[in-house]
mmCIF file of all heavy atoms in Angstrom:
data_model
loop_
_atom_site.group_PDB
_atom_site.id
_atom_site.type_symbol
_atom_site.label_atom_id
_atom_site.label_comp_id
_atom_site.label_asym_id
_atom_site.label_seq_id
_atom_site.Cartn_x
_atom_site.Cartn_y
_atom_site.Cartn_z
ATOM 1 N N LEU A 1 0.828 -1.201 0.000
ATOM 2 C CA LEU A 1 0.000 0.000 0.000
ATOM 3 C C LEU A 1 0.866 1.256 0.000
ATOM 4 O O LEU A 1 1.920 1.300 0.617
ATOM 5 C CB LEU A 1 -0.909 0.016 1.229
ATOM 6 C CG LEU A 1 -1.805 -1.204 1.449
ATOM 7 C CD1 LEU A 1 -2.644 -1.024 2.698
ATOM 8 C CD2 LEU A 1 -2.691 -1.447 0.242
ATOM 9 N N ARG A 2 0.377 2.293 -0.702
ATOM 10 C CA ARG A 2 1.079 3.564 -0.715
ATOM 11 C C ARG A 2 0.100 4.650 -1.162
ATOM 12 O O ARG A 2 -0.818 4.378 -1.955
ATOM 13 C CB ARG A 2 2.285 3.518 -1.659
ATOM 14 C CG ARG A 2 1.889 3.290 -3.104
ATOM 15 C CD ARG A 2 3.075 3.095 -4.029
ATOM 16 N NE ARG A 2 2.602 2.760 -5.369
ATOM 17 C CZ ARG A 2 2.237 1.547 -5.748
ATOM 18 N NH1 ARG A 2 2.299 0.536 -4.881
ATOM 19 N NH2 ARG A 2 1.806 1.320 -6.973
ATOM 20 N N PRO A 3 0.278 5.880 -0.712
ATOM 21 C CA PRO A 3 -0.591 6.971 -1.179
ATOM 22 C C PRO A 3 -0.257 7.343 -2.611
ATOM 23 O O PRO A 3 0.908 7.285 -3.032
ATOM 24 C CB PRO A 3 -0.266 8.115 -0.206
ATOM 25 C CG PRO A 3 1.116 7.812 0.261
ATOM 26 C CD PRO A 3 1.235 6.323 0.314
ATOM 27 N N ALA A 4 -1.271 7.712 -3.379
ATOM 28 C CA ALA A 4 -1.058 8.115 -4.768
ATOM 29 C C ALA A 4 -0.353 9.459 -4.815
ATOM 30 O O ALA A 4 -0.553 10.320 -3.953
ATOM 31 C CB ALA A 4 -2.392 8.193 -5.508
ATOM 32 N N THR A 5 0.485 9.646 -5.823
ATOM 33 C CA THR A 5 1.201 10.910 -5.991
ATOM 34 C C THR A 5 0.216 12.060 -6.170
ATOM 35 O O THR A 5 -0.697 11.992 -6.995
ATOM 36 C CB THR A 5 2.129 10.845 -7.219
ATOM 37 O OG1 THR A 5 3.026 9.735 -7.059
ATOM 38 C CG2 THR A 5 2.937 12.117 -7.368
ATOM 39 N N ASN A 6 0.401 13.104 -5.368
ATOM 40 C CA ASN A 6 -0.448 14.308 -5.392
ATOM 41 C C ASN A 6 -1.870 14.053 -4.907
ATOM 42 O O ASN A 6 -2.707 14.965 -4.937
ATOM 43 C CB ASN A 6 -0.509 14.920 -6.801
ATOM 44 C CG ASN A 6 0.846 15.370 -7.292
ATOM 45 O OD1 ASN A 6 1.693 15.807 -6.505
ATOM 46 N ND2 ASN A 6 1.085 15.256 -8.592
ATOM 47 N N ARG A 7 -2.183 12.802 -4.466
ATOM 48 C CA ARG A 7 -3.524 12.504 -3.975
ATOM 49 C C ARG A 7 -3.412 11.583 -2.754
ATOM 50 O O ARG A 7 -3.646 10.378 -2.849
ATOM 51 C CB ARG A 7 -4.367 11.847 -5.061
ATOM 52 C CG ARG A 7 -4.647 12.752 -6.262
ATOM 53 C CD ARG A 7 -5.589 12.076 -7.244
ATOM 54 N NE ARG A 7 -5.016 10.846 -7.747
ATOM 55 C CZ ARG A 7 -5.734 9.800 -8.153
ATOM 56 N NH1 ARG A 7 -7.039 9.825 -8.070
ATOM 57 N NH2 ARG A 7 -5.139 8.714 -8.624
ATOM 58 N N PRO A 8 -3.044 12.116 -1.604
ATOM 59 C CA PRO A 8 -2.818 11.278 -0.417
ATOM 60 C C PRO A 8 -4.060 10.548 0.077
ATOM 61 O O PRO A 8 -3.945 9.581 0.834
ATOM 62 C CB PRO A 8 -2.313 12.280 0.630
ATOM 63 C CG PRO A 8 -2.803 13.614 0.156
ATOM 64 C CD PRO A 8 -2.792 13.545 -1.337
ATOM 65 N N ASP A 9 -5.239 10.987 -0.342
ATOM 66 C CA ASP A 9 -6.462 10.305 0.083
ATOM 67 C C ASP A 9 -6.706 9.021 -0.704
ATOM 68 O O ASP A 9 -7.536 8.198 -0.310
ATOM 69 C CB ASP A 9 -7.672 11.231 -0.081
ATOM 70 C CG ASP A 9 -7.828 11.730 -1.514
ATOM 71 O OD1 ASP A 9 -6.805 12.122 -2.103
ATOM 72 O OD2 ASP A 9 -8.951 11.734 -2.017
ATOM 73 N N ILE A 10 -6.002 8.831 -1.817
ATOM 74 C CA ILE A 10 -6.120 7.613 -2.627
ATOM 75 C C ILE A 10 -4.991 6.660 -2.254
ATOM 76 O O ILE A 10 -3.817 7.029 -2.324
ATOM 77 C CB ILE A 10 -6.064 7.933 -4.133
ATOM 78 C CG1 ILE A 10 -7.192 8.900 -4.524
ATOM 79 C CG2 ILE A 10 -6.145 6.656 -4.957
ATOM 80 C CD1 ILE A 10 -8.580 8.339 -4.321
ATOM 81 N N VAL A 11 -5.336 5.427 -1.870
ATOM 82 C CA VAL A 11 -4.341 4.433 -1.479
ATOM 83 C C VAL A 11 -4.192 3.413 -2.603
ATOM 84 O O VAL A 11 -5.151 2.717 -2.946
ATOM 85 C CB VAL A 11 -4.735 3.726 -0.171
ATOM 86 C CG1 VAL A 11 -3.704 2.656 0.194
ATOM 87 C CG2 VAL A 11 -4.874 4.736 0.956
ATOM 88 N N GLU A 12 -2.991 3.336 -3.172
ATOM 89 C CA GLU A 12 -2.718 2.389 -4.253
ATOM 90 C C GLU A 12 -2.360 1.029 -3.686
ATOM 91 O O GLU A 12 -1.751 0.913 -2.622
ATOM 92 C CB GLU A 12 -1.570 2.900 -5.118
ATOM 93 C CG GLU A 12 -1.848 4.241 -5.767
ATOM 94 C CD GLU A 12 -0.669 4.773 -6.556
ATOM 95 O OE1 GLU A 12 0.462 4.285 -6.334
ATOM 96 O OE2 GLU A 12 -0.874 5.679 -7.386
ATOM 97 N N ILE A 13 -2.723 -0.024 -4.424
ATOM 98 C CA ILE A 13 -2.421 -1.401 -4.022
ATOM 99 C C ILE A 13 -1.590 -2.039 -5.132
ATOM 100 O O ILE A 13 -2.070 -2.238 -6.246
ATOM 101 C CB ILE A 13 -3.701 -2.223 -3.795
ATOM 102 C CG1 ILE A 13 -4.592 -1.545 -2.753
ATOM 103 C CG2 ILE A 13 -3.361 -3.644 -3.365
ATOM 104 C CD1 ILE A 13 -5.924 -2.225 -2.558
ATOM 105 N N GLY A 14 -0.335 -2.369 -4.835
ATOM 106 C CA GLY A 14 0.512 -2.999 -5.828
ATOM 107 C C GLY A 14 0.957 -2.037 -6.912
ATOM 108 O O GLY A 14 0.719 -0.824 -6.841
ATOM 109 N N ALA A 15 1.593 -2.586 -7.937
ATOM 110 C CA ALA A 15 2.142 -1.776 -9.021
ATOM 111 C C ALA A 15 1.101 -1.551 -10.109
ATOM 112 O O ALA A 15 0.217 -2.379 -10.312
ATOM 113 C CB ALA A 15 3.369 -2.468 -9.621
ATOM 114 N N PRO A 16 1.196 -0.424 -10.832
ATOM 115 C CA PRO A 16 0.286 -0.202 -11.969
ATOM 116 C C PRO A 16 0.607 -1.156 -13.106
ATOM 117 O O PRO A 16 1.734 -1.635 -13.228
ATOM 118 C CB PRO A 16 0.564 1.249 -12.371
ATOM 119 C CG PRO A 16 1.975 1.489 -11.924
ATOM 120 C CD PRO A 16 2.155 0.688 -10.666
ATOM 121 N N VAL A 17 -0.389 -1.434 -13.934
ATOM 122 C CA VAL A 17 -0.223 -2.346 -15.075
ATOM 123 C C VAL A 17 -0.519 -1.576 -16.356
ATOM 124 O O VAL A 17 -1.616 -1.045 -16.530
ATOM 125 C CB VAL A 17 -1.173 -3.554 -14.957
ATOM 126 C CG1 VAL A 17 -1.028 -4.469 -16.176
ATOM 127 C CG2 VAL A 17 -0.904 -4.339 -13.683
ATOM 128 N N MET A 18 0.466 -1.514 -17.256
ATOM 129 C CA MET A 18 0.247 -0.852 -18.534
ATOM 130 C C MET A 18 -0.695 -1.689 -19.390
ATOM 131 O O MET A 18 -0.634 -2.918 -19.374
ATOM 132 C CB MET A 18 1.568 -0.649 -19.270
ATOM 133 C CG MET A 18 2.393 0.485 -18.730
ATOM 134 S SD MET A 18 3.782 0.879 -19.820
ATOM 135 C CE MET A 18 4.502 2.252 -18.901
ATOM 136 N N ILE A 19 -1.573 -1.026 -20.124
ATOM 137 C CA ILE A 19 -2.549 -1.731 -20.946
ATOM 138 C C ILE A 19 -2.433 -1.292 -22.393
ATOM 139 O O ILE A 19 -1.978 -0.183 -22.696
ATOM 140 C CB ILE A 19 -3.989 -1.502 -20.433
ATOM 141 C CG1 ILE A 19 -4.348 -0.013 -20.445
ATOM 142 C CG2 ILE A 19 -4.171 -2.096 -19.053
ATOM 143 C CD1 ILE A 19 -5.809 0.263 -20.085
ATOM 144 N N SER A 20 -2.861 -2.169 -23.283
ATOM 145 C CA SER A 20 -2.830 -1.889 -24.715
ATOM 146 C C SER A 20 -4.024 -1.011 -25.095
ATOM 147 O O SER A 20 -4.953 -0.798 -24.305
ATOM 148 C CB SER A 20 -2.891 -3.198 -25.502
ATOM 149 O OG SER A 20 -4.147 -3.823 -25.296
ATOM 150 N N ARG A 21 -3.999 -0.540 -26.333
ATOM 151 C CA ARG A 21 -5.129 0.258 -26.823
ATOM 152 C C ARG A 21 -6.405 -0.576 -26.859
ATOM 153 O O ARG A 21 -7.498 -0.084 -26.574
ATOM 154 C CB ARG A 21 -4.821 0.816 -28.216
ATOM 155 C CG ARG A 21 -5.975 1.610 -28.806
ATOM 156 C CD ARG A 21 -5.561 2.331 -30.063
ATOM 157 N NE ARG A 21 -4.529 3.299 -29.789
ATOM 158 C CZ ARG A 21 -3.937 4.028 -30.735
ATOM 159 N NH1 ARG A 21 -4.277 3.860 -31.996
ATOM 160 N NH2 ARG A 21 -3.002 4.905 -30.421
ATOM 161 N N GLU A 22 -6.267 -1.858 -27.177
ATOM 162 C CA GLU A 22 -7.441 -2.731 -27.221
ATOM 163 C C GLU A 22 -8.097 -2.835 -25.841
ATOM 164 O O GLU A 22 -9.319 -2.773 -25.714
ATOM 165 C CB GLU A 22 -7.030 -4.115 -27.723
ATOM 166 C CG GLU A 22 -8.208 -5.061 -27.947
ATOM 167 C CD GLU A 22 -7.769 -6.372 -28.575
ATOM 168 O OE1 GLU A 22 -6.599 -6.469 -28.979
ATOM 169 O OE2 GLU A 22 -8.607 -7.277 -28.659
ATOM 170 N N MET A 23 -7.276 -2.980 -24.798
ATOM 171 C CA MET A 23 -7.820 -3.042 -23.445
ATOM 172 C C MET A 23 -8.381 -1.692 -23.021
ATOM 173 O O MET A 23 -9.371 -1.610 -22.300
ATOM 174 C CB MET A 23 -6.743 -3.506 -22.469
ATOM 175 C CG MET A 23 -6.288 -4.939 -22.700
ATOM 176 S SD MET A 23 -4.967 -5.466 -21.572
ATOM 177 C CE MET A 23 -5.872 -5.511 -20.027
ATOM 178 N N LEU A 24 -7.743 -0.616 -23.486
ATOM 179 C CA LEU A 24 -8.251 0.716 -23.171
ATOM 180 C C LEU A 24 -9.618 0.937 -23.810
ATOM 181 O O LEU A 24 -10.493 1.587 -23.230
ATOM 182 C CB LEU A 24 -7.260 1.779 -23.653
ATOM 183 C CG LEU A 24 -7.628 3.243 -23.364
ATOM 184 C CD1 LEU A 24 -7.888 3.459 -21.884
ATOM 185 C CD2 LEU A 24 -6.513 4.171 -23.857
ATOM 186 N N ARG A 25 -9.828 0.400 -25.003
ATOM 187 C CA ARG A 25 -11.145 0.495 -25.645
ATOM 188 C C ARG A 25 -12.217 -0.142 -24.758
ATOM 189 O O ARG A 25 -13.340 0.370 -24.652
ATOM 190 C CB ARG A 25 -11.125 -0.200 -27.008
ATOM 191 C CG ARG A 25 -10.336 0.505 -28.097
ATOM 192 C CD ARG A 25 -10.504 -0.250 -29.402
ATOM 193 N NE ARG A 25 -9.549 0.166 -30.417
ATOM 194 C CZ ARG A 25 -9.718 1.209 -31.220
ATOM 195 N NH1 ARG A 25 -10.809 1.939 -31.123
ATOM 196 N NH2 ARG A 25 -8.802 1.521 -32.130
ATOM 197 N N ARG A 26 -11.894 -1.285 -24.160
ATOM 198 C CA ARG A 26 -12.871 -1.954 -23.300
ATOM 199 C C ARG A 26 -13.233 -1.077 -22.097
ATOM 200 O O ARG A 26 -14.391 -1.015 -21.678
ATOM 201 C CB ARG A 26 -12.314 -3.293 -22.827
ATOM 202 C CG ARG A 26 -12.029 -4.271 -23.944
ATOM 203 C CD ARG A 26 -11.773 -5.669 -23.393
ATOM 204 N NE ARG A 26 -11.276 -6.544 -24.443
ATOM 205 C CZ ARG A 26 -10.044 -7.034 -24.486
ATOM 206 N NH1 ARG A 26 -9.192 -6.732 -23.526
ATOM 207 N NH2 ARG A 26 -9.667 -7.823 -25.460
ATOM 208 N N GLU A 27 -12.213 -0.415 -21.545
ATOM 209 C CA GLU A 27 -12.484 0.477 -20.419
ATOM 210 C C GLU A 27 -13.309 1.683 -20.867
ATOM 211 O O GLU A 27 -14.130 2.198 -20.098
ATOM 212 C CB GLU A 27 -11.172 0.935 -19.777
ATOM 213 C CG GLU A 27 -10.443 -0.150 -19.019
ATOM 214 C CD GLU A 27 -11.279 -0.757 -17.920
ATOM 215 O OE1 GLU A 27 -12.031 -0.014 -17.256
ATOM 216 O OE2 GLU A 27 -11.217 -1.983 -17.717
ATOM 217 N N MET A 28 -13.114 2.128 -22.092
ATOM 218 C CA MET A 28 -13.910 3.232 -22.617
ATOM 219 C C MET A 28 -15.384 2.832 -22.700
ATOM 220 O O MET A 28 -16.283 3.655 -22.471
ATOM 221 C CB MET A 28 -13.396 3.649 -23.988
ATOM 222 C CG MET A 28 -12.032 4.328 -23.956
ATOM 223 S SD MET A 28 -11.249 4.442 -25.589
ATOM 224 C CE MET A 28 -12.405 5.524 -26.440
ATOM 225 N N ASP A 29 -15.647 1.569 -23.032
ATOM 226 C CA ASP A 29 -17.029 1.093 -23.082
ATOM 227 C C ASP A 29 -17.655 1.048 -21.691
ATOM 228 O O ASP A 29 -18.878 1.092 -21.551
ATOM 229 C CB ASP A 29 -17.083 -0.310 -23.698
ATOM 230 C CG ASP A 29 -16.755 -0.300 -25.187
ATOM 231 O OD1 ASP A 29 -16.913 0.775 -25.803
ATOM 232 O OD2 ASP A 29 -16.340 -1.353 -25.717
ATOM 233 N N ARG A 30 -16.816 0.957 -20.654
ATOM 234 C CA ARG A 30 -17.318 0.882 -19.280
ATOM 235 C C ARG A 30 -17.354 2.243 -18.594
ATOM 236 O O ARG A 30 -17.812 2.351 -17.461
ATOM 237 C CB ARG A 30 -16.426 -0.055 -18.449
ATOM 238 C CG ARG A 30 -16.323 -1.477 -18.975
ATOM 239 C CD ARG A 30 -15.516 -2.320 -18.013
ATOM 240 N NE ARG A 30 -15.318 -3.663 -18.519
ATOM 241 C CZ ARG A 30 -14.153 -4.146 -18.961
ATOM 242 N NH1 ARG A 30 -13.091 -3.366 -18.935
ATOM 243 N NH2 ARG A 30 -14.048 -5.377 -19.402
ATOM 244 N N ASN A 31 -16.823 3.274 -19.248
ATOM 245 C CA ASN A 31 -16.714 4.580 -18.610
ATOM 246 C C ASN A 31 -16.975 5.665 -19.657
ATOM 247 O O ASN A 31 -16.125 5.959 -20.499
ATOM 248 C CB ASN A 31 -15.312 4.742 -18.013
ATOM 249 C CG ASN A 31 -15.175 5.970 -17.147
ATOM 250 O OD1 ASN A 31 -15.757 7.014 -17.423
ATOM 251 N ND2 ASN A 31 -14.386 5.861 -16.091
ATOM 252 N N THR A 32 -18.165 6.246 -19.624
ATOM 253 C CA THR A 32 -18.558 7.228 -20.637
ATOM 254 C C THR A 32 -17.669 8.467 -20.614
ATOM 255 O O THR A 32 -17.390 9.048 -21.667
ATOM 256 C CB THR A 32 -20.022 7.640 -20.424
ATOM 257 O OG1 THR A 32 -20.202 8.070 -19.054
ATOM 258 C CG2 THR A 32 -20.965 6.488 -20.710
ATOM 259 N N GLU A 33 -17.247 8.899 -19.441
ATOM 260 C CA GLU A 33 -16.400 10.088 -19.336
ATOM 261 C C GLU A 33 -15.035 9.837 -19.988
ATOM 262 O O GLU A 33 -14.497 10.688 -20.694
ATOM 263 C CB GLU A 33 -16.215 10.474 -17.873
ATOM 264 C CG GLU A 33 -15.395 11.730 -17.639
ATOM 265 C CD GLU A 33 -16.145 13.002 -17.974
ATOM 266 O OE1 GLU A 33 -17.361 12.922 -18.236
ATOM 267 O OE2 GLU A 33 -15.515 14.078 -17.975
ATOM 268 N N LEU A 34 -14.475 8.653 -19.748
ATOM 269 C CA LEU A 34 -13.206 8.273 -20.370
ATOM 270 C C LEU A 34 -13.347 8.221 -21.886
ATOM 271 O O LEU A 34 -12.489 8.719 -22.623
ATOM 272 C CB LEU A 34 -12.766 6.911 -19.824
ATOM 273 C CG LEU A 34 -11.542 6.266 -20.472
ATOM 274 C CD1 LEU A 34 -10.293 7.106 -20.217
ATOM 275 C CD2 LEU A 34 -11.359 4.836 -19.943
ATOM 276 N N HIS A 35 -14.421 7.624 -22.356
ATOM 277 C CA HIS A 35 -14.666 7.528 -23.794
ATOM 278 C C HIS A 35 -14.762 8.910 -24.425
ATOM 279 O O HIS A 35 -14.168 9.180 -25.481
ATOM 280 C CB HIS A 35 -15.946 6.739 -24.049
ATOM 281 C CG HIS A 35 -16.266 6.566 -25.501
ATOM 282 N ND1 HIS A 35 -16.851 7.560 -26.258
ATOM 283 C CD2 HIS A 35 -16.064 5.523 -26.346
ATOM 284 C CE1 HIS A 35 -17.011 7.135 -27.496
ATOM 285 N NE2 HIS A 35 -16.534 5.903 -27.576
ATOM 286 N N GLU A 36 -15.498 9.795 -23.797
ATOM 287 C CA GLU A 36 -15.709 11.121 -24.371
ATOM 288 C C GLU A 36 -14.404 11.918 -24.397
ATOM 289 O O GLU A 36 -14.129 12.637 -25.368
ATOM 290 C CB GLU A 36 -16.765 11.874 -23.555
ATOM 291 C CG GLU A 36 -17.139 13.249 -24.102
ATOM 292 C CD GLU A 36 -17.766 13.183 -25.494
ATOM 293 O OE1 GLU A 36 -18.188 12.080 -25.916
ATOM 294 O OE2 GLU A 36 -17.847 14.240 -26.151
ATOM 295 N N TYR A 37 -13.594 11.793 -23.360
ATOM 296 C CA TYR A 37 -12.339 12.550 -23.330
ATOM 297 C C TYR A 37 -11.411 12.105 -24.460
ATOM 298 O O TYR A 37 -10.838 12.948 -25.179
ATOM 299 C CB TYR A 37 -11.644 12.381 -21.983
ATOM 300 C CG TYR A 37 -10.448 13.284 -21.843
ATOM 301 C CD1 TYR A 37 -10.577 14.552 -21.291
ATOM 302 C CD2 TYR A 37 -9.192 12.889 -22.291
ATOM 303 C CE1 TYR A 37 -9.483 15.410 -21.195
ATOM 304 C CE2 TYR A 37 -8.094 13.738 -22.199
ATOM 305 C CZ TYR A 37 -8.247 14.994 -21.645
ATOM 306 O OH TYR A 37 -7.163 15.837 -21.563
ATOM 307 N N ILE A 38 -11.250 10.807 -24.641
ATOM 308 C CA ILE A 38 -10.367 10.308 -25.694
ATOM 309 C C ILE A 38 -10.931 10.640 -27.073
ATOM 310 O O ILE A 38 -10.189 10.932 -28.007
ATOM 311 C CB ILE A 38 -10.145 8.790 -25.526
ATOM 312 C CG1 ILE A 38 -9.346 8.529 -24.248
ATOM 313 C CG2 ILE A 38 -9.425 8.200 -26.733
ATOM 314 C CD1 ILE A 38 -9.101 7.072 -23.954
ATOM 315 N N ARG A 39 -12.255 10.625 -27.201
ATOM 316 C CA ARG A 39 -12.865 10.985 -28.483
ATOM 317 C C ARG A 39 -12.530 12.427 -28.855
ATOM 318 O O ARG A 39 -12.250 12.734 -30.021
ATOM 319 C CB ARG A 39 -14.383 10.811 -28.417
ATOM 320 C CG ARG A 39 -15.087 11.042 -29.747
ATOM 321 C CD ARG A 39 -16.594 11.081 -29.578
ATOM 322 N NE ARG A 39 -17.020 12.277 -28.876
ATOM 323 C CZ ARG A 39 -17.168 13.477 -29.447
ATOM 324 N NH1 ARG A 39 -16.897 13.634 -30.741
ATOM 325 N NH2 ARG A 39 -17.565 14.515 -28.742
#
């Protein structure tokens, strides 16, 4: 566990995992705000 950089109220668990564009597309389908920003 560790606090997120610039956001001490967010506690990270483990290391971040880089994702491909294909996986990012799936997350865009699950998050309208993310989809709209990338669009």
Side-chain angles (χ1 to χ4, degrees):
L1 305 180
R2 63 186 175 278
T5 303
N6 298 327
R7 295 185 299 152
D9 57 315
I10 301 297
V11 178
E12 300 177 342
I13 303 175
V17 178
M18 283 191 179
I19 60 174
S20 66
R21 178 171 297 177
E22 186 174 351
M23 294 178 69
L24 182 55
R25 289 184 193 276
R26 298 192 190 112
E27 289 302 322
M28 290 166 64
D29 290 337
R30 301 185 184 109
N31 189 324
T32 53
E33 182 74 9
L34 173 65
H35 181 281
E36 183 62 16
Y37 188 91
I38 293 178
R39 185 189 70 81

